[in-house]
Amino acid sequence: MKFLNLLVTLLLLGSNLFAQSPDKALQQMKVDVVYLASNLLEGRMTGEEGERLAAEYIASRFEEVGLKPMGQNGSWYHDFRFRYNSNPHSTEGGIEGIGKNVIGYLDNNAPTTVIIGAHYDHLGHGLDGSSLYAGEPAIHNGADDNASGVACMLYLAEYLKNSDAKNNNYLFIGFSGEEMGLFGSKRFAESPTIDLSKVNYMLNMDMVGRLNEEKVLAINGVGTSPVWKEVLPNIQVDGIKAKTTESGIGPSDHTSFYLKDIPVLHFFTGQHTDYHKPSDDSELVNYDGLYSVSKYIATLIESLDQKGKLAFTKTKEEQKQAASFKVSLGVMPDYVYDGEGMRIDAVLDGKPADKAGLKAGDVVIQIGDVKVKDIYDYMEGLSKFNKGEKATVVVKRKDKEIKKEVVF
Ligand SMILES: [Zn+2]
C-alpha cells in the first residue's frame, strides 16, 4: 500500500512537472481515444447511454483543462431533439430522442471567437443505413471516426489554454447526431449559445487518426477564405503534406457553419477499409500521426492570431454526381427533412437551380412529369434529363407553389 501511495504521489508530481511535455500530450490523446472507442460506450449512438457516458467524459476533460461550460443554462450540454429514419419512404419506425452537444469555452476577452469542433457520436451497434458491415450486430467503436477528432480537440483546448495566442476566444464543441445527418451542428448553428456574428472561423476534425506514411493530410474548405491559401503553405510540422480542396460543403459538421457564411476547414487523414465497420478500433490509430496533425492545427491557429477577423468567400462547389445522372440541379438536399417532397438545404452558386431562382428552404415537389414525394423520387426525376435540356420544376415556398424553368 505504501509503495502504491508513493507511486501515485510520484505519478501526480510527474504529471504536474511535465504538464506540457510532448510525451504527456501524446499519452493523454491515447487515453482519450481508447476510452471513447471502448466497448463500454457501445459505439456512442446518439440518444443512447453510450453517448451520455461519452458526453460526460468530454465535459470532465473540458473541466480539467479549465474551460467554462457554454451549453444551455450554464451547463456543458446543448440538447437537441432528433428523428432519424434510414428509409425516407417509410413513415413508421426510425429513431427519435434527445442528443447532446458538449460545449466548453476559453474566454480571452477577445472580440472574436474561433469554433473548434469534432463529433463524438458514432454508429452504436450498426446504425441502419450508415454501417457498411454485413455480419451479426456488433459494436462499432469508431476510433478513427471520430474519437480521434475528439482527442485532437481536447489537445487543442489544453494547448490554447497555455498559448500566447489570446486575440480570439475559443469555443470547443463535441457534436452529436453527426452520423444521422449533422443534427447537432445544424442545431447549434440555428440556436447557438454565443453570438454567431462574432465567430471568426470554424475548424472541424473528423477522422484524423490514420495519417499515412506519406503524411498526407486532407484539408477541405480552403475556398472559404482567401487567408487559408496564404497561411497554409507556411505551416511546416513533422513533414505533414496538406492536400486541399475548395468546397465548404462536405459530409461533416463544418458544412453547418459554412452555410452561415463562416470560413471553415475540415481536417481528414483519409478513407480506409475499416470505415463505418466494427473494426474501426483504437489499436489501429496512428497516435504519432494524430499528434502531428494536432500540432499542425495548433500551429495554424497561432499563425492566425494577428490576422483579425477572416474574410469569408463562397466556394465553387465540387458536387459529386452519381454515375447514373447526366445532370444536376446544383443543390444540397436536406437529408434530415421528413415532410413530403425534397427540401433544399443550400443552393450552389451559378448552378441550374441558382440560375432558375430556387432558394434554400424551397421544397421540390415535381421535376418534369415526376411527382417528388421524397429524395428517391427527386433522383428519379433528375435521371430523365440530359445536359442542355429544360425542365419545369415545381417547388413549395412557404405556402405557395412556384413553377420554375430550369436549364441543365
Ligand atoms: Zn465522422
Side-chain angles (χ1 to χ4, degrees), residues 119 145-146 178-179 206-207:
H119 79 85
D145 187 9
N146 185 30
E178 192 273 351
E179 302 284 10
D206 191 359
M207 298 176 66

Side-chain angles (χ1 to χ4, degrees), residues 308-328:
K309 198 162 190 277
L310 310 192
F312 170 76
T313 44
K314 287 205 174 190
T315 58
K316 282 198 209 79
E317 308 308 338
E318 303 136 23
Q319 212 187 21
K320 291 182 194 88
Q321 293 182 19
S324 58
F325 296 106
K326 293 173 225 89
V327 300
S328 116

Side-chain angles (χ1 to χ4, degrees), residues 68-367:
K68 207 169 106 186
M70 200 45 100
Q72 291 143 333
N73 310 315
S75 79
W76 295 104
Y77 307 113
H78 180 260
D79 292 354
F80 57 90
R81 288 213 135 266
F82 70 90
R83 183 156 173 264
Y84 172 80
N85 199 329
S86 62
N87 177 7
H89 276 296
S90 160
T91 48
E92 282 161 46
I95 316 165
E96 273 183 69
I98 307 268
K100 280 177 186 306
N101 297 322
V102 191
I103 311 180
Y105 187 54
L106 174 53
D107 190 356
N108 289 326
N109 290 312
T112 50
T113 298
V114 173
I115 297 181
I116 298 175
H119 79 85
Y120 72 92
D121 65 299
H122 195 51
L123 307 176
H125 290 248
L127 179 65
D128 214 17
S130 288
S131 176
L132 299 173
Y133 171 71
E136 291 290 301
I139 298 174
H140 289 52
N141 295 108
D144 182 35
D145 187 9
N146 185 30
S148 67
V150 175
C152 177
M153 170 178 75
L154 293 168
Y155 168 85
L156 292 170
E158 172 121 42
Y159 184 92
L160 291 166
K161 174 88 183 163
N162 298 301
S163 164
D164 293 331
K166 303 272 186 228
N167 290 320
N168 287 289
N169 312 305
Y170 296 94
L171 191 73
F172 300 89
I173 312 181
F175 294 110
S176 190
E178 192 273 351
E179 302 284 10
M180 292 179 180
L182 317 186
F183 286 104
S185 58
K186 274 189 187 179
R187 185 53 202 277
F188 183 86
E190 290 308 327
S191 45
T193 55
I194 60 162
D195 181 355
L196 270 200
S197 72
K198 301 213 165 85
V199 173
N200 193 346
Y201 58 91
M202 189 270 176
L203 304 180
N204 178 30
M205 289 82 66
D206 191 359
M207 298 176 66
V208 287
R210 297 280 191 115
L211 191 69
N212 62 13
E213 272 182 33
E214 292 75 39
K215 301 190 175 186
V216 179
L217 175 63
I219 305 180
N220 305 313
V222 298
T224 63
S225 175
V227 175
W228 299 134
K229 284 177 196 159
E230 183 192 318
V231 296
L232 284 171
N234 303 324
I235 312 293
Q236 302 295 335
V237 174
D238 294 352
I240 284 186
K241 298 174 197 71
K243 183 170 172 277
T244 60
T245 69
E246 294 279 320
S247 180
I249 289 181
S252 189
D253 296 309
H254 56 288
T255 304
S256 305
F257 295 87
Y258 170 72
L259 294 174
K260 295 286 175 194
D261 294 352
I262 294 169
V264 298
L265 288 181
H266 165 219
F267 299 89
F268 173 47
T269 51
Q271 273 299 353
H272 47 78
T273 52
D274 304 304
Y275 172 72
H276 280 199
K277 291 183 187 157
S279 53
D280 179 4
D281 278 327
S282 53
E283 61 267 27
L284 297 175
V285 166
N286 172 359
Y287 291 97
D288 290 325
L290 174 59
Y291 185 40
S292 292
V293 169
S294 304
K295 284 191 289 179
Y296 182 96
I297 299 171
T299 308
L300 169 67
I301 293 168
E302 287 191 323
S303 79
L304 294 167
D305 193 50
Q306 305 291 332
K307 298 251 177 225
K309 198 162 190 277
L310 310 192
F312 170 76
T313 44
K314 287 205 174 190
T315 58
K316 282 198 209 79
E317 308 308 338
E318 303 136 23
Q319 212 187 21
K320 291 182 194 88
Q321 293 182 19
S324 58
F325 296 106
K326 293 173 225 89
V327 300
S328 116
L329 210 50
V331 301
M332 285 271 297
D334 184 345
Y335 292 105
V336 181
Y337 178 65
D338 56 19
E340 202 163 285
M342 191 288 288
R343 189 162 71 186
I344 298 173
D345 213 4
V347 177
L348 311 181
D349 285 359
K351 294 284 161 101
D354 185 28
K355 288 182 181 158
L358 297 183
K359 292 198 164 93
D362 286 352
V363 178
V364 177
I365 55 173
Q366 193 169 342
I367 299 179

